[in-house]
Amino acid sequence: MTNAGEAGGVPPAGAAEVPEVAAIASGYAFTGQALDLGALLWDGRCHPDAPVRIPLPMLNRHGLVAGATGTGKTKTLQLIAEQLSAQGVPVFLADIKGDLSGIARPGQPNDRVQGRAGEVGQHWTATGFPAEFLALGGLGQGVPVRATITSFGPVLLSKVLRLNQTQEQSLGLIFHYADTKGLELIDLKDLRAVVAFLTSDEGRAELKDIGGLSTATAGVILRSLTAFEAQGMTDFFGEPEFDTADLLRTAPDGRGVVSVLELPAVQDKPLLFSTFLMWLLADLFHDLPEIGDADRPKLVFFFDEAHLLFGGASRAFLESITQTVRLIRSKGVGVFFVTQTPKDVPSDVLAQLGNRVQHALRAFTPEDQKALKATVRTFPKSSYDLEELLTGLGIGEAVVTVLSESGAPTPVAATRLRAPESLMGPVDAAELDAAVRGSVLHGRYAQAVDRESAYERLRAAQPAPAAEPRPAKKEEPSLVEQVVGSGMFKSLARSVGTQLGREITRSLFGTARRRR
């Protein structure tokens, strides 16, 4: 891995031969530590003596990696993640297609890799990096990542359940009630039990003073939960809950651990995984202390398929994303959104993404042409014809602009990117499984736990069943009947201590972690 600070503070000598190249190169001649992206392209020629780089302290100023399918975005993520790890910075990667697991193994030298390295002036060395493999709910190969319903919160859950604004507000009321009564919502059955109680004759008065819960809205929420469970979503919620502090680890040799969330098993549930990524980010925001400007980030978080998060989002949800992205920088976390075009990201969020790596765009349709023009307008003024350039870039080439050490945007630079030094492709299933089972996190999170929570407490409030036998054809009581079948629960709910509820503080997204 190239020494991040070796370029010095003046443009490389060879760049002076072409005035435009010299002017652009001077904008990337940083004095401090930086990540090397590649070499400058000008007029079809690659200039290995004009490196394009990102200052390490600016990685918490957020960024965007964009481009059409097949243009090399995944390899760009791998390249940046490798160099961050080498500099001691932990990284989180969402692996949508399942081809980032190779970051843990040294790459394979071949003519193509050696050719690219020679073109950009890279001293390529096959290197593997410390990696941790995670999987949502344990679906797929990885240490299970679960969240409790309580910590996931009403705003993100509403997004997953596709609730409208009124229904989202009602769900927030349900969470508020559970919080104040100390009724822990660990999994989906806990939430169903509380909703059922609050719409019963006994429970309806509990929310009367703060707006109440209509039967119709409760019915929508319960039906949405039923459909959600029917799609196999139960495993994602429960305990042990994943502690996002485990994303901030470094290896014994000082390199940052690359946490790879393996998502191929849930590719058909895009709304779920995009919202879960937002929970991870919101939880970090909720827990981390303010550190202000630092010489390196505490974590860089790559948010893949970002358009899924923003599509159909309410105004309040988008405002929460915007504020989280704006404020989490001061906690040392950098966020890179990965998507096809900048227009997939709302303008208020895009305005905060100071580091840009834009791969090629296609312009086959009028809609494509419109997206291309919109993308060009998001870049600073440039010596390039960006419309022409962005449609002519090859695989592994991109247009780059980042924040300099002073915080000012660097000149736009067409760049031939370096080759990753780790394996460009997945490791085999057996090797991945062995890595997961050998993880220090496996023993902590692998086995699901179902302890007493709201559902069990509600059932315990039922009166003792009569000793006489039931009629042969009588069906088992439904969940609603189990919850509201006893008048005892009303007094139980009111007698529950509220100290546990007072320990819950919710962030911008309504997320919370109950401290035990």
Side-chain angles (χ1 to χ4, degrees), residues 31 50 64 77 88 95 109 113 133 137 142 147 234 238 241 250 280 334 355 385 488 491 495 513:
T31 57
L64 177 74
L77 304 190
D95 188 6
V113 168
F133 300 103
T234 305
E241 182 175 68
T250 55
L280 290 171
N355 301 304
D385 181 340
M488 293 174 62
S491 61
S495 68
R513 186 182 294 280

Side-chain angles (χ1 to χ4, degrees), residues 213-227:
L213 177 65
S214 75
T215 302
T217 298
V220 171
I221 293 172
L222 287 171
R223 288 193 296 273
S224 297
L225 287 171
T226 299

